[in-house]
Amino acid sequence: MPAAMRLNPRLFLLGSVLAWLACCVLFAAWLIGNERSRTRDDFTTQARIAYSILTQRAEQQEAVLASLVALEHAMPGNAPVMSNFALSIQHGYPQLVSVERYGREDTGWRMFSTNGGAAAPSRQLDAAADQPGGTAGTQVAVLDDGYRLFRAAGHDVVFALRVSAPALAELAQSGAPSFQSVQMRTADGRTLWRYEHPAAWSPWPALQLEKQLNTRGQPFVMTATHAPLGAGVPWGRLVLGWSILGAAAALAAWSMAQYRSRTLAQRQLRLAQATRINAMGEVAAGIAHELNQPLTAVLANTQASVRWLEDDPPDLVRAREAASGAVQQARRAGAILKRLREFISPHTGAAEAVDLNRVVDDALSLMSETFRQRQIRVVRNMAPNLPTVAGSAVAFEQVIVNLLLNAADALLHVPAPQRALHIDSTLDGPQVVVVVRDSGGGLNAEALARVFEPFYTTKEGGMGLGLTICESIIHEAGGTLGAANVDAGAAFTLRLPVGAAT
Ligand code: ADP
């Protein structure tokens, strides 16, 4: 029997449940790992899109400022042209709240704006006016809802663009709805704008991408973050996977139960076969009874035949009738004996190569339930790599089972703690030797002399034929079976010559 079947069923169940749980955990880890790397890839792509959108907008703003300065240089102070140009520009760029022109006057800076709103503080305009022209001269001032970009067109004119933070945030997130936060800072760390979704709980560190815009005038730093998984654990697929694993485990358990019950049925069948020696005893007793009648008839017919022949003159007709009656009855007796032989040795035919260790293990396995019930401790000591013997494995198994049954019966006479059964196998020269030894009190002098005699029994309801049949099976295979007393019990020694199959 496979080793797994000998496991304690509770341990086996516990092991199976643990293995199933481990599979579930591994599956969850694999799925979450997969989901996390997919989320990371998606986030990186989305953050790069946001970055290129913001860079593009910053470049546009630079271009607008450069155009305004160029226009001022071409047509200094031409307010109508400038305001038309500013309005048309603002139309195409939704992030621009207003385009402003500041002119220095005696009383201070005078503002023209496409969209009203508060004027920039004079100190910012003074500072901007001091800057050189070109992209290097772009100044930034942070507002509550965005920022202002300044560019001087000479010492007395400054242009400004008011940029809306929500509009930029919306543009940045147009390709990336799953950002947790997106923000832009100046290179020296001032926050220009920041947009944040309420954070979902997540067991994982947030993903983050930080990159400086690739524009000379506005080298701002964009930072986008994303909290992967958390609320986004793929529960649907996880539960589906666990259900499939559960169904697979249930199927495996069902198949295992089927296998066990089939194995149990097979074992019961084999136990019935192995204990057939006992049944044989009963059949033999019945047959002996049946034989009695034809043998008596043979005797009577032969005696009658002799009598008819001794008559003077001999009555040949009657003598022949009596003789053929005897022949008929002898044939009947022969048929009864043939039936008995067939029952005892159903496995006649070519001898096979038999591994006696294996036979012993199979017999022990068949008897294991009896040993467990009777609290018998079994000590098995088998020599490894024994050569095979020639014969019938089934018949040898029947012999060993009968020896084990007798030992188990004898052990019932001693208290449970003293019930021990030893079974050893060794190689002794050209013979394989198996000894079944028990601590059941042993054989008395009469039993020692008569155990192999037919119908010798000390058991209530015993037939006294088991050992007789065992001995004849072993003799037929060229071996011997002996009985002796050892220590506190009996020992039965079976010797079979090493041999190959025929
Ligand atoms: P049965 O089991 O029907 O009595 P067996 O031929 O198997 O027939 O056994 C004959 C007798 O040998 C048993 O009744 C018992 O007295 C004795 N015997 C056999 N094995 C043992 C044993 N291990 N210990 C003591 N007595 C035994």
Side-chain angles (χ1 to χ4, degrees):
M1 125 187 273
M5 299 302 294
R6 279 198 277 268
L7 270 181
N8 177 332
R10 275 197 201 152
L11 269 182
F12 185 69
L13 183 70
L14 184 72
S16 309
V17 170
L18 286 178
W20 179 75
L21 281 177
C23 283
C24 286
V25 169
L26 282 178
F27 172 72
W30 172 79
L31 193 67
I32 289 174
N34 241 2
E35 186 69 10
R36 188 163 156 70
S37 79
R38 196 179 60 79
T39 310
R40 187 186 297 114
D41 291 348
D42 286 355
F43 166 73
T44 310
T45 311
Q46 291 167 352
R48 285 185 194 284
I49 291 173
Y51 168 80
S52 58
I53 290 173
L54 291 174
T55 304
Q56 190 189 34
R57 294 291 153 169
E59 277 166 357
Q60 286 168 354
Q61 286 153 200
E62 285 298 319
V64 169
L65 287 171
S67 306
L68 288 168
V69 171
L71 198 63
E72 180 67 27
H73 286 152
M75 288 177 263
N78 192 333
V81 172
M82 210 289 293
S83 67
N84 273 347
F85 177 66
L87 282 169
S88 71
I89 284 171
Q90 196 186 342
H91 192 67
Y93 302 111
Q95 82 271 26
L96 295 185
V97 179
S98 65
V99 178
E100 297 160 354
R101 177 186 183 280
Y102 294 89
R104 197 195 295 271
E105 296 188 355
D106 296 342
T107 50
W109 290 96
R110 208 167 83 94
M111 175 177 80
F112 160 80
S113 164
T114 54
N115 211 9
S122 345
R123 68 185 155 74
Q124 289 177 359
L125 295 166
D126 292 341
D130 288 344
Q131 293 298 318
T135 47
T138 306
Q139 292 288 292
V140 185
V142 181
L143 303 172
D144 285 347
D145 57 353
Y147 59 96
R148 221 181 221 123
L149 294 171
F150 297 100
R151 174 78 64 79
H155 193 65
D156 294 330
V157 175
V158 172
F159 287 100
L161 299 179
R162 247 179 71 194
V163 183
S164 153
L168 276 184
E170 199 179 324
L171 282 168
Q173 293 185 88
S174 57
S178 61
F179 284 170
Q180 191 195 320
S181 76
V182 55
Q183 66 163 316
M184 205 151 73
R185 298 183 269 113
T186 59
D188 57 4
R190 287 173 292 153
T191 302
L192 291 173
W193 54 267
R194 178 178 172 81
Y195 193 82
E196 198 158 4
H197 292 282
W201 177 85
S202 167
W204 316 108
L207 299 172
Q208 177 172 320
L209 188 131
E210 189 169 271
K211 212 164 177 205
Q212 191 163 42
L213 301 192
N214 190 17
T215 50
R216 274 191 66 213
Q218 297 163 56
F220 303 147
V221 179
M222 180 204 88
T223 309
T225 64
H226 176 81
L229 294 178
V233 170
W235 287 114
R237 274 177 290 157
L238 207 55
V239 169
L240 180 72
W242 282 342
S243 311
I244 291 172
L245 279 172
L251 191 70
W254 179 78
S255 319
M256 187 69 93
Q258 291 288 92
Y259 174 74
R260 287 177 79 109
S261 75
R262 247 199 334 270
T263 316
L264 194 67
Q266 280 167 358
R267 291 184 69 190
Q268 278 163 351
L269 188 73
R270 281 187 48 212
L271 185 60
Q273 272 178 0
T275 50
R276 59 187 289 124
I277 284 177
N278 278 357
M280 280 180 219
E282 283 163 35
V283 171
I287 285 176
H289 180 73
E290 266 191 70
L291 275 179
N292 214 17
Q293 206 216 339
L295 287 179
T296 315
V298 167
L299 186 65
N301 275 305
T302 349
Q303 281 171 342
S305 178
V306 170
R307 256 200 329 275
W308 297 128
L309 288 173
E310 281 171 358
D311 269 4
D312 195 14
D315 187 339
L316 290 180
V317 176
R318 285 190 156 155
R320 188 178 299 118
E321 267 174 19
S324 53
V327 169
Q328 225 173 0
Q329 289 302 325
R331 283 214 179 106
R332 204 179 132 210
I336 291 169
L337 284 174
K338 186 163 171 264
R339 255 171 42 218
L340 175 63
R341 201 165 31 246
E342 278 170 2
F343 186 80
I344 290 174
S345 325
H347 305 285
T348 49
E352 48 187 334
V354 181
D355 173 0
L356 275 184
N357 277 357
R358 199 172 163 169
V359 169
V360 167
D361 279 343
D362 287 346
L364 284 174
S365 154
L366 289 174
M367 289 291 297
S368 57
E369 189 52 26
T370 307
F371 294 149
R372 197 188 59 75
Q373 281 170 1
R374 298 191 187 177
Q375 300 174 43
I376 296 171
R377 186 167 57 87
V378 178
V379 183
R380 176 184 165 286
N381 189 12
M382 318 294 288
N385 307 321
L386 280 182
T388 55
V389 297
S392 156
V394 176
F396 293 154
E397 186 179 79
Q398 289 170 354
V399 171
I400 305 276
V401 166
N402 195 67
L403 297 180
L404 294 175
L405 267 174
N406 276 346
D409 286 347
L411 286 168
L412 282 180
H413 299 128
V414 296
Q418 290 167 26
R419 292 178 193 162
L421 189 153
H422 292 254
I423 186 156
D424 308 336
S425 73
T426 46
L427 182 65
D428 183 13
Q431 289 179 324
V432 177
V433 182
V434 175
V435 181
V436 178
R437 179 160 52 90
D438 61 65
S439 57
L443 303 145
N444 62 29
E446 189 199 0
L448 203 53
R450 298 185 56 195
V451 272
F452 295 111
E453 271 178 27
F455 304 110
Y456 174 77
T457 182
T458 58
K459 294 179 196 167
E460 199 179 319
M463 293 300 307
L465 286 171
L467 287 173
T468 316
I469 297 171
C470 287
E471 197 190 26
S472 81
I473 290 174
I474 300 302
H475 269 171
E476 208 174 307
T480 58
L481 182 63
N485 277 326
V486 283
D487 302 331
F492 285 82
T493 304
L494 183 163
R495 292 174 171 273
L496 281 166
V498 169
T502 56

